[in-house]
Amino acid sequence: MTPRRKPLNALGYGFIPHEFLPEGHDEYTHRNQQQLTAYTYRPLREAEIELLIRNGNYSPNWGDVWVTDSFLPEQIQQSKFYGRVRIGDMAAEYLDYRDLHLPTGIYNSVVVSSDIGGHTAIHNVRYLAHFIIGDEVILFNVHEMETSSNAKFGNGIRKEGDPESSLIQLELCNENGGRAVLPFDGMQASDVYLWTRHRHDSVLQERFKAITFGRFDSRRGYYSVVGHRTVIKNSHIIKDVRIGTDAYIKGVNKLKNVTVNSITGAYTQIGEGCELVNGIIGHGCRIFYGVKAVRFILSSFSQLKYGARLINSFLGDNSTISCCEVLNSLIFPAHEQHHNNSFLCAALVMGQSNMAAGATVGSNHNSRGADGEIIAGRGFWPGLCVSLKHNSRFASYTLIVKGDFLHELDIRLPFAMVSHDVPNDRLVILPAYWFLYNMYALMRNNTKFISRDRRSLKNQYFEYDVLAPDTINEAFAALQDIEAAVGKAFHPEAGDADRIRRGREILADTSIDLREREILLDGVENSRRKVVLIKVREGYLMYKRMIGYYAATQLKQYFDGHSMTQFEVEYLAGDSPLERLAFENIGGQLIRKRDVDALIGDIRSGTLDDWDAIHLRYRQLSSDYPTHKFEHALASLLELHGMDRAQLTPAFIQHLIEESVATKQWICEEIRKTRAKDYSNPFRRMVYENEGEMDAVVGRLADNAFIRQQQQEFEQYSSSIKALASKTTPQ
């Protein structure tokens, strides 16, 4: 397309093509509705025009340059104005921001049909067209700032006259676009998860599209916006953007079709060399040093840095990606990925995850088409140089040891370690690994993720505890898998139900040495090689112990605020069964499966007819979650011990809670012991001249803040149990 010649006095006018102007509207209708500050404007006076011209300024139509009564023409120099330009209040002052000191006014710039807020400093902006600039904004050394009449600001919508092909979609979880969603400002991981699932339900999928389209005005004519106190400096192309207040943008190559959320208490910063196209950026984000992001949503308080590439992906709140490449992925909150040689593609990663260096999760080059997927529960941790194949699925807190995994995997046991036994050509799974051998790293995550959750408005309850309804349900399923595997190893002729029963009996009989038999797990790897369970009884008993601990801590928390009488009325008096219900991880929020089904039904029927109503339902379910979690814990307790509710006597409850003190103490000791290994390991010590140097570099074990915090929590927990006895006695 070649440039076209038009009259100079037409520059700045006709922003909206005539055929898209609604009756009774002009090209300024939406612009007037977008005003950030209510100024009263007036035309320029003759003396002001003369002074402006003497200062090297130019306009083919000074009558369309409007100002307020506090206009200072001497602070407008060497600039050109086209179309209707409105300038807010001015004063003889300068703006001071991080050692940048600039007088307010407009200098050496070209301004086309824009509103300039009060007390702004605009210097060396070569082209500024169809923007609304807030108060106390700094624009310094910017090459191009412009707006299209059909600007969408990163939202997946169409404006009048737009072709179907212009619709921006995020092709998540699968490279073939079969799970694509329409992005919108305010989109949450829960929205994306619901939308990417249930693809067979055409009615539901059309409802999601209709709700999203209904959120926006399809008419043309909206201007780009730069909010109050935002600073943009030394940047190249900024087009079709909505930028909030207090943002700091420096040295960017391109911002195009992007919404940047930013407020005083949660300002967003975008730094040098970044190119961000077709995206939504949440509050309090940090993006700097050569980041490339295209068709993306970056949720609040997340970071992209050091050359990260985020393409066709959604990154949840409080996450960090640096150096590496992420494609076609849906990532729930609290994700960490820091290494230039890690790669994540076509995956659903359910949060609190950590990608190690060299991890290649989701290369489709080993399949017949680019249509594979990987699903990983929260706490997913592929180790150094792990390569995984589509399609694979991983239970919560799966740790994968270094190696190329050439076959599809279905790891159903949570907290497990998965590794190759190369000499014997078999896959090895150690159940409950984290509890058995790395308690420090596991429990540190609880504290770490909570402290990093910087959301000021926690409108969704993100579950960070490693022991929660999702992981406990997986642990119950793991118990049955282990029982079946043990039963088959000792009684291969038995049927499925009989194997489970016999396996349970064998696991309970400690006189039987399980190491005498090879315990194999079926349906784990798409290959003919063996999948072997090790440390079987230890892992089995650990699952049981942690289920009991989960139930006890939930009971203790309940009785911190309730009496035994209340407990009896609420949970023992009725005859309805206490069921261990299924929960689903919906964008980091755990919701009972039946409530998810009801939510989907209400969206499908139109009962929930906009995203705000859906988000309100998330908040309501978040408020109900502590109760739902407690009821789940109670049902888990009954199932674990094969009890009915009548056996939940005050004495039993008190005993269970007191028993949890011992488990809490054991957890604290395991946390200390697993960290202490790093201090006693001679291969870690050998790089230090002596113990004093090691302490100076890594800190003394006795001073470890996390270990001390856990000890304090144990002491508080233990002392609070004594005050609980009265509450577990009927009043």
Side-chain angles (χ1 to χ4, degrees), residues 675-682 684-685 694-695 698-702 704:
R675 180 57 175 156
K677 292 177 185 177
D678 294 332
Y679 287 80
S680 59
N681 183 340
R684 289 182 65 92
R685 295 169 63 94
M694 183 175 181
D695 288 343
V698 301
R700 296 194 317 142
L701 180 64
N704 185 285

Side-chain angles (χ1 to χ4, degrees), residues 80 82 107-112 122-129 140-145 235-236:
K80 298 178 180 180
Y82 301 93
Y107 305 84
N108 303 300
S109 299
V110 174
V111 181
V112 179
I122 298 178
H123 292 250
N124 308 326
V125 178
R126 296 181 179 179
Y127 185 73
L128 174 65
F140 177 60
N141 291 345
V142 183
H143 288 178
E144 178 183 331
M145 298 178 68
S235 296
H236 291 279

Side-chain angles (χ1 to χ4, degrees), residues 239-302:
K239 181 175 182 178
D240 296 352
V241 297
R242 277 184 177 160
I243 301 172
T245 69
D246 304 279
Y248 183 32
I249 299 171
K250 58 176 180 174
V252 300
N253 291 342
K254 179 185 285 188
L255 294 181
K256 181 180 179 182
N257 193 32
V258 172
T259 290
V260 180
N261 288 288
S262 181
I263 55 176
T264 303
Y267 77 92
T268 290
Q269 178 175 323
I270 305 174
E272 292 82 355
C274 294
E275 297 175 11
L276 311 177
V277 179
N278 301 334
I280 309 289
I281 299 168
H283 293 92
C285 290
R286 299 289 183 268
I287 307 170
F288 49 87
Y289 302 138
V291 166
K292 315 296 181 187
V294 181
R295 297 195 182 215
F296 69 98
I297 292 183
L298 181 67
S299 300
S300 295
F301 299 104
S302 291

Side-chain angles (χ1 to χ4, degrees), residues 293-333:
V294 181
R295 297 195 182 215
F296 69 98
I297 292 183
L298 181 67
S299 300
S300 295
F301 299 104
S302 291
Q303 299 184 69
L304 296 176
K305 53 188 180 180
Y306 306 129
R309 284 87 71 201
L310 184 70
I311 300 170
N312 257 318
S313 294
F314 181 103
L315 183 63
D317 301 90
N318 305 300
S319 297
T320 298
I321 291 179
S322 63
C323 306
C324 55
E325 186 170 12
V326 176
L327 308 173
N328 303 94
S329 292
L330 167 54
I331 304 173
F332 289 1

Side-chain angles (χ1 to χ4, degrees), residues 446-463:
N446 279 6
T447 303
K448 178 178 72 174
F449 293 132
I450 292 171
S451 65
R452 291 180 181 178
D453 191 346
R454 298 172 56 204
R455 294 174 299 153
S456 55
L457 176 62
K458 293 182 171 60
N459 55 347
Q460 279 185 284
Y461 187 108
F462 292 155
E463 179 61 270

Side-chain angles (χ1 to χ4, degrees), residues 338-365:
H338 299 279
H339 309 283
N340 194 42
N341 52 354
S342 61
F343 175 72
L344 180 64
C345 178
L348 166 60
V349 182
M350 295 187 173
Q352 299 155 53
S353 39
N354 196 315
M355 290 277 293
T360 301
V361 177
S363 173
N364 269 318
H365 295 168

